[in-house]
Amino acid sequence: MDKNAIFKTNIIGAGEVGCASSVDMDKNAVYNTNSFYWDTKGNDFLGAIVLPFYGAFVSEEKCQLFGNVSGKKMLEIGCGNGQSLQYHGERKASELWAVDISEKQIEKATQHLKACGLSANLIVSPMEEECGLPVNYFDFVYSIYAIGWTTDLEGTFCRIASYLKKDGVFIFSWSHPIHKCVAAENNMLAFKKCYFDESWYSVSLDEGEGALTLSDRKLSTYVNALAKAGFVIEQMIEQSDDEIMQARDDNSDFAKKAKMLPVTFVVKARKL
């Protein structure tokens, strides 16, 4: 994996890529727009964020949120090319399951896991919809930079809670909402978007790479949705790892920004 690729996704919605325009939220329109992008472009422009990384400058190797997954049943929400499933498969998880909105991404994940000698139950479906996943079954449900694409956060968290066993763990990462509001300009950070604005918008990507539709939600929106779905938060991470930053010796505007404010957040929650 190209470790620098994880930087690209973080800038979606931060006012630093393409042109963003407000749109009405129509679930089917969002499904069609986003699934078309992932089917046709995949990770070509955005890159792939996969375990052991949760996002820019945050890693499982340092945080140890999963711990020992040997013998555990794992479900990934938004599996992409399957590399995070591979990560858990190599750590002896007993079952690998995943759902993704993109048929092409599921095909890539299937091929990738087969090449690694691993098997998984992979389902093409929006995360918000009923798709035949077993309930009260999984030890872990996790999502690496995918949960933010949902059109129904509360509904998605309730579905995830239904998939988990009692005391099961849900771990997810996404671009930090403060990061989405601030852009680097002339060696300074400037607010370009209201933190409280959760309206939907379409982002036109550079070089004719198509468009994506999403919403930037407040941290409190995630926290309250988790509580409503019956989760208790055990840990939240939002600080960049200095050791990773130093090892990369990155002097980009993005790295400078990451030293000043959170660009990724990770939540570990447990089903009550």
Side-chain angles (χ1 to χ4, degrees), residues 84-208:
S84 292
L85 290 165
Q86 175 194 352
Y87 180 84
H88 287 307
E90 291 175 346
R91 282 153 184 79
K92 308 304 180 183
S94 65
E95 293 185 25
L96 301 175
W97 294 65
V99 60
D100 197 287
I101 196 173
S102 167
E103 184 175 353
K104 294 297 183 183
Q105 292 291 78
I106 289 291
E107 289 176 1
K108 289 180 180 179
T110 300
Q111 294 168 2
H112 177 74
L113 293 170
K114 183 178 180 180
C116 296
L118 297 168
S119 62
N121 298 290
L122 306 180
I123 299 171
V124 179
S125 174
M127 66 183 80
E128 303 92 329
E129 305 295 335
E130 165 60 39
C131 60
L133 285 165
V135 298
N136 300 315
Y137 186 76
F138 296 97
D139 300 291
F140 288 92
V141 177
Y142 67 96
S143 181
I144 309 303
Y145 259 73
I147 209 72
W149 297 107
T150 182
T151 61
D152 178 7
L153 188 68
E154 288 187 1
T156 297
F157 282 175
C158 286
R159 285 202 182 278
I160 288 170
S162 74
Y163 303 146
L164 283 164
K165 299 174 181 177
K166 186 180 184 302
D167 294 323
V169 171
F170 175 36
I171 296 172
F172 72 94
S173 66
W174 185 246
S175 190
H176 199 289
I178 283 292
H179 159 52
K180 295 295 196 74
C181 298
V182 178
E185 292 185 350
N186 302 318
N187 293 319
M188 296 183 67
L189 297 179
F191 264 86
K192 306 295 287 187
K193 179 181 179 293
C194 175
Y195 175 81
F196 304 110
D197 180 7
E198 295 186 319
S199 59
W200 284 80
Y201 59 91
S202 178
V203 179
S204 298
L205 305 180
D206 286 347
E207 301 175 1

Side-chain angles (χ1 to χ4, degrees), residues 11-23 180 192-193 199-205 211-212 214 216:
I11 58 179
I12 293 297
E16 299 172 12
V17 171
C19 177
S21 57
S22 297
V23 296
K180 295 295 196 74
K192 306 295 287 187
K193 179 181 179 293
S199 59
W200 284 80
Y201 59 91
S202 178
V203 179
S204 298
L205 305 180
L212 291 165
L214 69 161
D216 299 328

